[in-house]
Amino acid sequence: TTKDQSNQRSNNNKKKTEEKKQIHLIPFQQQEIFRSHWCEMKKEAKREMSIGDSAELEENLPLKDRLKAFKSSSFDPDAYFTTRCQTMNEKEIRHLCSYLIELKKASAEEMRKSVYANYAAFIRTSREITDLEGQLLSMRNLLSNQGGLVHALNEQVRIDSLWVGTDQTLKEDLSQIDKMELSKTEEWLMEFSNTLDVLLAERRMDEVMNALLKGEMLVEDASDTPETNPKFLVAMQASITEQRMRFADQLAETISQPSTRRSELRSAVQALKRLGDGPRAHTLLLQYHQKKLQSSMRNIRSCNSSHGGGGTYATVLSQFVFSTIARAASDCMSVFGDEPAYTSELVTWAVKQTEAFALLLKRHVLASSAATGGLRVAADCLQVCLGHCSLLEAQGLALSPVLLRIFRSSVEQAFHSNLKKIEHSTTALAVSDDWVLSFSPANGKSMSSSAASNSVGSQPKLSSSANKFNSMAQEFLEDIVPLECLHLDGPALEGVQRAFNSYVDLLIQALPGSTETEDHLEGCGRIVQPAETEIQQFALLANASLLADELLPRAAMKLLSSSNNKQQSKRGSERPSHLPEQREWKRKLQRSVDRLRDSFCRLHALELIFTDEGDTNLNAHIYTSMDDHTEEPEWFPSPIFQLVFTKITTLASIATDVFVGRERFATVLLMRLMETIILWLSDDQAFWEEIEQGAKPLGPFGLQQLYLDMEFVLIFASQGRYLSRSLHQVIKDIIARAIDAAAATGVDPYSVLPEEDWFNEVSQIAIKMLTGKGNFGSVERDVASPTASISASSVISDAN
């Protein structure tokens, strides 16, 4: 039993020991697993850091260093991809792709910048390549001639006997040949040298050319004959080559002489080309015309400096320059045809001569006229030059872009100077303008008395400053017509619109009491003559309205129609229209006139509403005080509205005389004036606060008087045809608001107000009384007094 117990205890101890070992083993295994994972994570982090560092390092490098791997001629895309992507995971591959995309974008941007930065060099290189092609063609012809000579000599004699060193050697060979027996061909060739010397001395070019060609043919035929002495052939061929060189030099000297006649010039150029030296002949031909051109330009300039006349100088010079270019082009085409190399050189030469001519004309003619605003000189000069230049288009020379490029700056300077000149001249006249309408001085001089009397209705009457603005604006737009190729019609209309806007500012300053005038008085003082009387103020409106509605649009129509006709002739069936632009431009002019009209209406509305002391003629006390008395008042429009009627009637009479044939403008003007007055009453918060919330409420008599005043305005405005829809609505709103104010006091407004016919009858009688057309014998009343009032009952009974 004791043994069994000891065995059992030992077994229990073994189990406990195993359990302890397992307990210690579990943390150890976990540590190993964690350590292995940690090592993998560190490796992954190092790999990502290395990739990030390398990417950041490459991004910091210049673009040319980053592209070195791709610039090599041995670059292999497959090998690059394999070496970089074989050991990469998905994240690294994505990172590499994004890096390559960014590198592609940077490379494209760098290429674009490089192209733009070197564009001028590219153009210059293209021109040099064109010149080089001509030189290579000339070199090819020379090499071909020399190659043929070497080949012929190589077939007959040894290489060491090809060179005839001096003229003495050539003479010895020929003297030895004289001692031999010669054939007929050899005898002709012997006489050829002497004959050619005579022809060259006598400058018989055609015969020299024919002799050279015949001599070359005979030498070529003799070389195929075995009996011909080889040494004789070499000597004769060297002699012919020497004569060719002498003839070419003689031709070049003939071409270079300015005194050479044109027929002789063409023959010399043609002969030099037949000799195989075409590029040299073409260059000498152009140099010949250039020398004559420069000489004549100096003579024309000296004549211009002594006799003056910039327009004549430009015309004569332009005609000569472009006629010379035309002759040069004709000579080149007749001799060389349309070969690309020669045509390119001709175009380059023509462009160069045109640039020199345009710069000369710009310096001596356009510069002074542009500074002083002489747009007519610039327009005439450009039109003449373009007219001469267009004649060359049939020969394939389009030189007008060269002229436009050089002349544009001077024309634009004259363009802006002319607009400033219009503003300054108009301002100078506005300072002393008496604002009296009259016909234009030019029209008055050109018309007889009978014609003037017949055309009074058709000719516009403007003040002196407006006449000046109109004439200068008309001339400016007429001068723009020849400049259609520069597309200045749009800027011209905008410039005239700005100048007109400035002129309207001057007209607003001429109105007494305007805000613009007050600003100038506070700053630098009044700069224009004030329009004190109503007739003068209507003259301001006549100036602006006539210019904006008739005169300026008429001039613009001429400009735009001319542009339309030219575009139609160029584009065939297409018919471009400037009507939308013209309508928008006319609306801008009208907005400037509206500013002047609003200032006019504001001025007269304030004169009616306010007194000289600053008090208001139209206030709520007029109506709230009427119920202080128990007796019914004598019904008549309030004094302020009698004054409004008298004022509007007077202005309407003046407008009828000023705006002859333009009654609509006068009607709209009076409409706007009435709206200004009544809107002021509708928007006067102090007036309505006293009516609706004041100490004295609006009673029955006050309501009836306000109703009568509004009906009076409604009726005389309707009879004068200056009742607008907005004015009618505002009057109805004022009446409704007054009725609501009276009803708020507990009074039934409709029980105290008479019938509508009563207000109409009183208003009609008031109109007759104020205009002096009524015959009311029993009523003692000073009709001329605008503040008088009468009893409605007595007036109605007398009227009946």
Side-chain angles (χ1 to χ4, degrees):
T1 302
T2 303
K3 188 176 181 180
D4 293 336
Q5 291 177 353
S6 62
N7 291 333
Q8 188 175 0
R9 283 197 296 272
S10 64
N11 291 333
N12 291 334
N13 291 332
K14 290 180 179 179
K15 290 180 180 179
K16 290 180 179 180
T17 303
E18 292 294 332
E19 290 176 357
K20 289 180 179 180
K21 289 181 179 180
Q22 291 179 0
I23 291 173
H24 289 292
L25 179 61
I26 290 172
F28 178 77
Q29 291 176 348
Q30 291 179 350
Q31 292 176 4
E32 288 296 328
I33 294 172
F34 177 75
R35 186 179 295 109
S36 64
H37 282 292
W38 176 253
C39 292
E40 291 295 331
M41 291 175 64
K42 287 178 68 178
K43 291 179 181 179
E44 182 70 20
K46 288 182 178 180
R47 187 183 302 109
E48 292 182 357
M49 289 177 64
S50 63
I51 294 173
D53 294 340
S54 63
E56 293 178 358
L57 179 61
E58 290 184 352
E59 289 179 358
N60 293 329
L61 290 175
L63 182 62
K64 62 180 182 179
D65 294 335
R66 293 159 60 188
L67 294 174
K68 280 184 178 179
F70 305 98
K71 291 182 179 180
S72 176
S73 58
S74 60
F75 174 73
D76 187 1
D78 296 331
Y80 177 82
F81 179 79
T82 303
T83 55
R84 295 296 296 268
C85 304
Q86 188 174 11
T87 58
M88 288 184 177
N89 54 26
E90 183 179 358
K91 184 176 182 180
E92 295 172 353
I93 292 175
R94 289 181 178 177
H95 185 80
L96 179 61
C97 290
S98 63
Y99 167 71
L100 291 175
I101 291 173
E102 293 297 329
L103 192 62
K104 180 181 178 182
K105 292 180 180 179
S107 177
E109 180 66 19
E110 184 71 18
M111 181 178 293
R112 186 182 67 83
K113 291 180 180 179
S114 177
V115 169
Y116 287 153
N118 299 309
Y119 189 73
F122 172 75
I123 297 299
R124 186 174 61 255
T125 304
S126 300
R127 293 176 179 174
E128 292 177 354
I129 290 174
T130 303
D131 297 337
L132 186 60
E133 288 178 351
Q135 296 176 5
L136 289 176
L137 180 62
S138 176
M139 186 180 295
R140 186 181 65 182
N141 293 332
L142 292 175
L143 291 176
S144 177
N145 295 334
Q146 295 295 331
L149 178 60
V150 172
H151 180 71
L153 294 176
N154 189 31
E155 291 180 352
Q156 303 298 328
V157 296
R158 296 194 311 271
I159 297 299
D160 55 357
S161 64
L162 291 179
W163 305 100
V164 180
T166 60
D167 295 339
Q168 184 65 28
T169 306
L170 179 60
K171 292 178 180 179
E172 292 177 357
D173 292 338
L174 292 175
S175 62
Q176 292 178 3
I177 293 172
D178 290 339
K179 299 177 181 179
M180 303 177 183
E181 294 181 359
L182 301 177
S183 62
K184 293 182 179 180
T185 301
E186 292 173 347
E187 290 178 356
W188 186 92
L189 289 175
M190 286 293 297
E191 296 177 358
F192 167 75
S193 180
N194 296 329
T195 304
L196 204 56
D197 288 337
V198 174
L199 294 176
L200 286 173
E202 295 178 356
R203 294 182 178 271
R204 295 154 67 179
M205 297 180 184
D206 294 335
E207 297 182 15
V208 172
M209 194 69 217
N210 294 331
L212 284 173
L213 293 176
K214 187 174 181 180
E216 290 176 353
M217 292 176 61
L218 289 175
V219 168
E220 184 177 356
D221 294 339
S223 62
D224 296 334
T225 305
E227 295 83 7
T228 306
N229 188 349
K231 199 169 185 179
F232 170 80
L233 289 176
V234 172
M236 290 307 302
Q237 194 163 18
S239 176
I240 293 175
T241 302
E242 181 185 1
Q243 298 295 346
R244 285 176 63 92
M245 294 176 62
R246 286 180 56 195
F247 185 44
D249 293 339
Q250 190 179 33
L251 291 174
E253 183 180 359
T254 302
I255 298 172
S256 302
Q257 294 296 328
S259 58
T260 304
R261 294 190 303 272
R262 192 176 178 190
S263 58
E264 187 180 355
L265 174 70
R266 286 192 179 187
S267 300
V269 172
Q270 181 70 37
L272 190 58
K273 180 190 175 185
R274 292 174 64 186
L275 289 176
D277 205 356
R280 182 187 178 189
H282 192 266
T283 302
L284 290 174
L285 175 61
L286 296 179
Q287 289 177 357
Y288 166 83
H289 287 288
Q290 182 174 354
K291 289 178 182 179
K292 295 199 68 173
L293 178 61
Q294 292 175 350
S295 176
S296 299
M297 287 175 67
R298 286 193 295 268
N299 295 333
I300 295 173
R301 181 182 171 186
S302 61
C303 294
N304 173 69
S305 60
S306 59
H307 299 289
T312 305
Y313 170 66
T315 303
V316 174
L317 185 62
S318 173
Q319 182 179 4
F320 185 80
V321 168
F322 289 109
S323 62
T324 302
I325 294 176
R327 285 194 295 270
S330 176
D331 292 341
C332 292
M333 293 298 295
S334 63
V335 177
F336 299 95
D338 56 353
E339 295 184 22
Y342 300 127
T343 304
S344 177
E345 185 179 5
L346 172 63
V347 171
T348 304
W349 177 84
V351 169
K352 184 178 179 181
Q353 305 309 314
T354 305
E355 289 178 346
F357 154 73
L359 291 174
L360 181 65
L361 207 60
K362 179 180 179 180
R363 183 166 60 252
H364 294 284
V365 177
L366 296 181
S368 58
S369 62
T372 57
L375 187 61
R376 175 64 61 87
V377 176
D380 292 343
C381 181
L382 181 60
Q383 189 176 18
V384 167
C385 294
L386 291 179
H388 293 153
C389 187
S390 62
L391 300 177
L392 297 175
E393 294 181 359
Q395 300 181 9
L397 293 175
L399 301 176
S400 56
V402 180
L403 292 175
L404 297 178
R405 173 173 54 83
I406 297 176
F407 285 169
R408 178 177 291 275
S409 59
S410 297
V411 172
E412 290 178 349
Q413 183 182 359
F415 176 88
H416 295 295
S417 299
N418 202 298
L419 289 174
K420 292 180 181 179
K421 186 178 179 181
I422 294 175
E423 294 185 15
H424 294 164
S425 300
T426 306
T427 303
L429 280 178
V431 173
S432 58
D433 199 337
D434 55 2
W435 309 118
V436 175
L437 299 179
S438 61
F439 294 111
S440 174
N443 293 334
K445 293 178 181 179
S446 59
M447 292 187 302
S448 63
S449 58
S450 59
S453 61
N454 294 330
S455 60
V456 169
S458 60
Q459 294 294 330
K461 293 178 69 175
L462 301 170
S463 67
S464 59
S465 60
N467 274 320
K468 184 65 174 179
F469 180 88
N470 178 44
S471 62
M472 296 185 72
Q474 297 275 350
E475 291 177 0
F476 173 74
L477 293 177
E478 289 177 1
D479 294 342
I480 295 298
V481 174
L483 303 176
E484 184 269 338
C485 53
L486 294 177
H487 305 288
L488 293 176
D489 47 352
L493 294 181
E494 293 178 2
V496 171
Q497 187 266 328
R498 289 194 298 269
F500 177 74
N501 194 32
S502 301
Y503 180 63
V504 171
D505 291 338
L506 296 176
L507 299 180
I508 295 175
Q509 293 171 22
L511 290 173
S514 64
T515 55
E516 288 79 357
T517 303
E518 293 175 358
D519 294 340
H520 280 277
L521 288 174
E522 294 176 0
C524 58
R526 185 188 295 274
I527 65 172
V528 294
Q529 187 75 15
E532 299 291 349
T533 66
E534 293 170 348
I535 296 179
Q536 290 177 328
Q537 294 166 12
F538 271 106
L540 303 178
L541 293 165
N543 287 338
S545 61
L546 272 173
L547 288 171
D549 294 340
E550 297 182 12
L551 302 179
L552 295 181
R554 192 182 305 161
M557 179 62 71
K558 294 179 182 178
L559 173 64
L560 297 178
S561 61
S562 175
S563 177
N564 281 343
N565 293 334
K566 291 182 180 179
Q567 293 183 17
Q568 181 182 357
S569 62
K570 290 181 180 179
R571 300 182 181 181
S573 60
E574 298 182 5
R575 296 177 61 86
S577 176
H578 293 278
L579 290 179
E581 294 84 349
Q582 186 182 10
R583 285 195 293 266
E584 179 62 26
W585 180 70
K586 194 173 181 179
R587 280 194 290 267
K588 291 179 180 178
L589 297 179
Q590 193 59 49
R591 283 194 286 268
S592 298
V593 178
D594 292 343
R595 290 194 299 111
L596 176 62
R597 184 178 58 192
D598 294 341
S599 299
F600 173 85
C601 295
R602 191 183 307 112
L603 169 65
H604 288 278
L606 294 177
E607 288 180 353
L608 291 171
I609 295 171
F610 292 95
T611 63
D612 295 338
E613 292 78 16
D615 299 329
T616 58
N617 292 323
L618 182 59
N619 52 60
H621 181 70
I622 298 174
Y623 304 103
T624 58
S625 62
M626 293 189 67
D627 290 277
D628 293 344
H629 307 285
T630 57
E631 296 181 359
E632 184 176 357
E634 295 181 350
W635 297 109
F636 205 76
S638 300
I640 176 62
F641 289 103
Q642 297 178 39
L643 188 61
V644 169
F645 172 79
T646 305
K647 185 77 170 180
I648 293 296
T649 304
T650 303
L651 293 179
S653 177
I654 298 174
T656 302
D657 297 334
V658 173
F659 298 100
V660 178
R662 305 183 63 250
E663 289 78 9
R664 176 171 175 75
F665 180 83
T667 302
V668 174
L669 175 64
L670 296 175
M671 281 184 184
R672 189 62 58 87
L673 179 57
M674 289 298 302
E675 290 175 1
T676 304
I677 298 172
I678 302 304
L679 282 173
W680 186 93
L681 175 62
S682 176
D683 297 335
D684 188 6
Q685 296 298 327
F687 177 88
W688 290 107
E689 285 178 1
E690 188 174 351
I691 291 289
E692 297 172 345
Q693 304 173 6
K696 292 182 179 181
L698 183 65
F701 291 158
L703 175 62
Q704 188 172 348
Q705 183 64 47
L706 182 57
Y707 199 116
L708 175 61
D709 290 341
M710 293 299 101
E711 284 292 329
F712 174 67
V713 172
L714 193 66
I715 289 174
F716 81 74
S718 176
Q719 291 180 355
R721 295 183 179 180
Y722 34 83
L723 176 64
S724 63
R725 293 183 180 179
S726 60
L727 176 61
H728 187 274
Q729 185 61 43
V730 171
I731 290 175
K732 293 300 182 183
D733 293 341
I734 291 174
I735 293 174
R737 189 171 181 179
I739 291 175
D740 294 340
T745 62
V747 178
D748 183 9
Y750 297 102
S751 63
V752 299
L753 290 175
E755 296 295 332
E756 188 73 22
D757 294 340
W758 181 87
F759 294 104
N760 187 18
E761 290 177 359
V762 174
S763 299
Q764 294 289 354
I765 293 172
I767 291 172
K768 291 181 179 180
M769 295 293 294
L770 293 173
T771 56
K773 297 180 180 180
N775 185 14
F776 307 103
S778 62
V779 180
E780 296 180 358
R781 172 177 171 78
D782 183 9
V783 179
S785 176
T787 59
S789 61
I790 61 176
S791 172
S793 58
S794 63
V795 170
I796 293 174
S797 61
D798 291 339
N800 294 331

